[in-house]
Amino acid sequence: MAEDDGSGFAVDLTNCDREPIHVLGTIQPFGFLIALTADWLVARVSANSADYIGLPPEALLGKPIAAIMSNEALHSLRNRITLLRGPDAVERLFSLQLLEGGPLFDVAVHFSGALVVIEAERASQDEMEASSTVRSMVSRLAQTDSMAAFLRDGARQVRALTGFDRVMVYRFAQGGDGEVVAEALRPGIESFFGLHYPASDIPQQARALYLRNIFRVIADVDAPPVPVVPQLDPAGAALDMSLCLTRAVSPIHIEYLRNMGVGASLSISIIVQGKLWGLFACHHYAPRLPTFAQRSAAELFGQIFSMMLESRERAETADYEGKARQVADRLLAAVAQDSELLHNAGWLGDIIFDTIPADGVGVYIDGQMTLSGLTPDETAFAAIVNMMNRVAASQVYTTDCLSGILPDAAAYADRAAGVLAIPLSRRPRDYVLLFRAEQLRAVRWAGQQDKHVEEGPDGPRLSPRKSFAAWSQLVKGTAVPFSPAELRVAEALRTALLEVVLRLSDSVDAERQRAHEKQELLIAELNHRVRNILSLIRGLLSQTRDSARSVEEFIGTLESRIHALARAHDQITADRWSPARLYDLIEVEAGAYLGEKRDRVQLSGPNVLLTPGCFTVMALVIHEMLTNAAKYGALSDSGTVTIAWRVDEDGSLLLDWTESGGPAVVAPTRRGFGSTVIERSIPYDLGGDAEINYRLAGIEAHFCIPSRHVVAVLPDLIEGERVKAVAVAMPGLLNDRHVLLVEDNMIIAMDGEDALRDLGAEVLTAASVGRAREAIALGPVDLAVLDFNLGSETSLPVADLLAERGVPFIFATGYGDGLELPARFEHIALVKKPYSGATLAQALAPLIDG
């Protein structure tokens, strides 16, 4: 429906796709913009700069930014710019004083080509903790039990955070149009749930921007845009504002929003597998600008929502594909035994329809055709096969509107409106075709799809639709599309069936046969191992759950058991799944569990190597024995555990466990999973013996591991090896210690927390001097890690307070060697960012020894 203005320019629905919305050259007035060259000279500035910092554009352009902004502001900006990763990264700073003695601003900074773009708005002084807010939102979201509930709760969470009147979850279909699949509303306004919007409502270049800049806010539809001066640089190029938070709005989109009565809007991209799945589309019927902190939290929530959505979709797809492949395996096994089954369309349909729902199936092999279910007649079927030879290119091919590529198909759309073609040969000849009948469905469109062409001051142009009343369109001649997961199953069927057909029709050489058998063997072995791992995890979950008395106990016990298995796995895979030493197993487990108390576990015995399977079983047994000893036995008091082993005449390993010096032992009144592991693992998994006696003076246990699990008895360990084995127990370095981490960057703080917890510490985190003082006043602090620069302040006051209290600490810094500490702290260790857990351990160990 294009119109021509007489100059050869056609006005149609694709005009919006060509509007250069990323270089509009204007911003919204709720903030101002400064663009800097590589040598930090002001190259562009928004015309409203005087409203915010008292300096008009002519006083800024060409000047070095160092002559305008404070040193602290420049320092913070430079630090934040170093964190930018990738071409589309944006960093934010809160409550930054740009000018000496001036007001505070919330600031965003990013690269636009070679320019550094700084956007600022007046600080909201919002002290909302984005990470904790989003964490609670995500925790609630994770509890939803269905996809519909997940989407609906996502909309409710965004509305609660932003305060917008309407929040929609808008999903894109394959054709580019979209549907409102979830919604949260202010009471009293009309619902858009279930409405469809044509693809032209969101132009192509807007979709591309949604992938690059996932958060977009329009604070006031009626606010006049502010120009950026100069509009063009000396080379005649406009500023690319794709990532600008304040970027102004296309006039066509403004008109679109006004037609809907919207005063402000906000959108958060939902990106799944690198593609634009949809949007959180938010409308408010008056101007509205959430605070900088609220917008940052909303953007973070949108990113986590996308990852959770992708995980859910992957899980659903994996479940479907797993069941489908089981059916496909049965099909292939049957066809390999009886090639005539390929000509039995009814049998093929019954098998394939269990994996790919359809209404009919047709098979074309060597000129012979068989049909079953709702299909075209043989003449029409042959015409479809001929068409597939032209368009399918020996690949799986699908369309939900067959009449769109084969007009004659309109006559039998009631039986075959959509088709999925699975080629069975490399040359154009053989196919399995799945048909779906016409699906008549009423689609509720949000207003007439066609946009109206009006004469404007610059000639004819499209105006946005002015009616948003729902109207129905009956979609005829189309079928329910085959989903991407169904297409993947079809591709797997094509590959496998092609292999079978080739083996049946051509002579396959022996090398190919051997390769096929090897692949099947590897797949079977992988399947066996994966099933064993999954079964083990499932057993740990169920058994730990049955014996746990609280959620916290369940989590702690399960974590300790899984870590024990992981440590054992690390040891046996360190040398490509080779046999491993019993001594190392016990030392590592004791060190990881007991830390500095590991010397209370006394070991004696030859240097025995165990098979990987036996090693894993023994890891769980030793872990449970140590756990019981630490909770109820000798290690819970001042006692000791003696572990002695020997190899008898037939090569079996005999291991004796003796506890002494602990509290009086009472036999347990109930059998938990731990007791079951100790008593049954070795007999059941290894064919050995296990005996445990609850004597009053201490537990005694005896284990026998058959000789087939004992690979070798090596010469005795040398002293250096013993020390090395004990030294790997670094996770216990900070056991029972409270460590204060002062860090103003959330991501760096999270990494630091994880590293310190891995070392065994209880971590207290503070982002400012004030919060750090509160933490010191409220609870015990044994050690501290202080980020030297905290944005607008340093951690020196915290260091002075810790020094007064005699609490040892270290500094962390991103300044590298350029940081000069005050003379009173010259002796303090300095850790450079980025740091790892090993780096922290190395710096903190001398403080503990001291």
Side-chain angles (χ1 to χ4, degrees), residues 567-568 571 583-593 725-726 728-729:
R567 285 190 293 272
Q571 288 176 272
Y583 183 91
D584 291 345
L585 165 64
I586 302 174
E587 278 284 43
V588 170
E589 187 60 30
Y593 196 90
V726 175
V728 299

Side-chain angles (χ1 to χ4, degrees), residues 191-233:
S191 173
F192 288 172
F193 179 73
L195 290 183
H196 290 249
Y197 291 80
S200 57
D201 275 14
I202 302 180
Q204 289 296 329
Q205 83 278 28
R207 295 170 193 249
L209 278 183
Y210 281 132
L211 276 172
R212 296 189 60 200
N213 190 352
I214 67 172
F215 190 90
R216 173 73 163 141
V217 65
I218 302 172
D220 186 354
V221 165
D222 296 321
V226 177
V228 174
V229 293
Q231 287 284 310
L232 303 177
D233 64 12

